[in-house]
C-alpha cells in the first residue's frame, strides 16, 4: 500500500535518519522537515539533482533550499 513505509529499504531508512537529525537540530518534529510520504517518493524516484528533487510532492522552494543538498547527498550514496 502507498501509505506503508518500506520495510528494510536502506535508502528510506537513511532518509528518515537524516530527517530525524535535521528536525532535532531545528527543534521541530520530523514531519515538519518532510512527511514520510515525501521520503517514500524520494526513495522511489531517486532524484539526481535539486531540480529533480523539487519535483517531489512536499518539497517546496524553502525546504529545497534548507534541506535539498543534504538529502541529495544521502540519495547519491545508494
Amino acid at each position: 500500500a502507498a501509505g506503508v513505509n518500506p520495510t528494510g529499504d536502506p535508502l528510506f531508512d537513511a532518509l528518515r535518519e537524516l530527517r530525524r537529525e535535521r528536525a532535532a537540530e531545528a527543534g521541530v518534529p520530523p514531519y515538519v522537515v518532510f512527511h514520510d510520504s515525501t521520503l517514500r517518493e524520494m526513495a522511489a524516484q531517486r532524484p539526481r539533482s535539486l531540480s529533480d528533487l523539487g519535483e517531489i510532492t512536499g518539497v517546496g522552494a524553502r525546504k529545497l533550499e534548507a534541506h535539498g543538498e543534504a538529502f541529495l547527498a544521502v540519495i547519491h550514496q545508494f
Side-chain angles (χ1 to χ4, degrees), residues 1-7 12 40:
V4 176
N5 292 336
T7 303
F12 179 74
R40 281 193 296 273

Side-chain angles (χ1 to χ4, degrees), residues 13-65:
D13 292 342
L15 292 171
R16 285 188 70 176
E17 177 62 21
L18 176 60
R19 177 186 65 178
R20 186 193 63 73
E21 292 169 3
R22 301 211 38 127
E25 289 170 8
V28 298
Y31 69 83
V32 172
V33 176
F34 290 119
H35 287 277
D36 276 351
S37 58
T38 301
L39 298 184
R40 281 193 296 273
E41 193 173 340
M42 285 182 195
Q45 299 290 330
R46 295 180 187 241
R48 304 306 293 168
S49 68
L50 286 173
S51 176
D52 292 343
L53 185 60
E55 297 295 316
I56 296 204
T57 304
V59 182
R62 200 168 80 230
K63 288 186 179 184
L64 188 63
E65 184 177 332

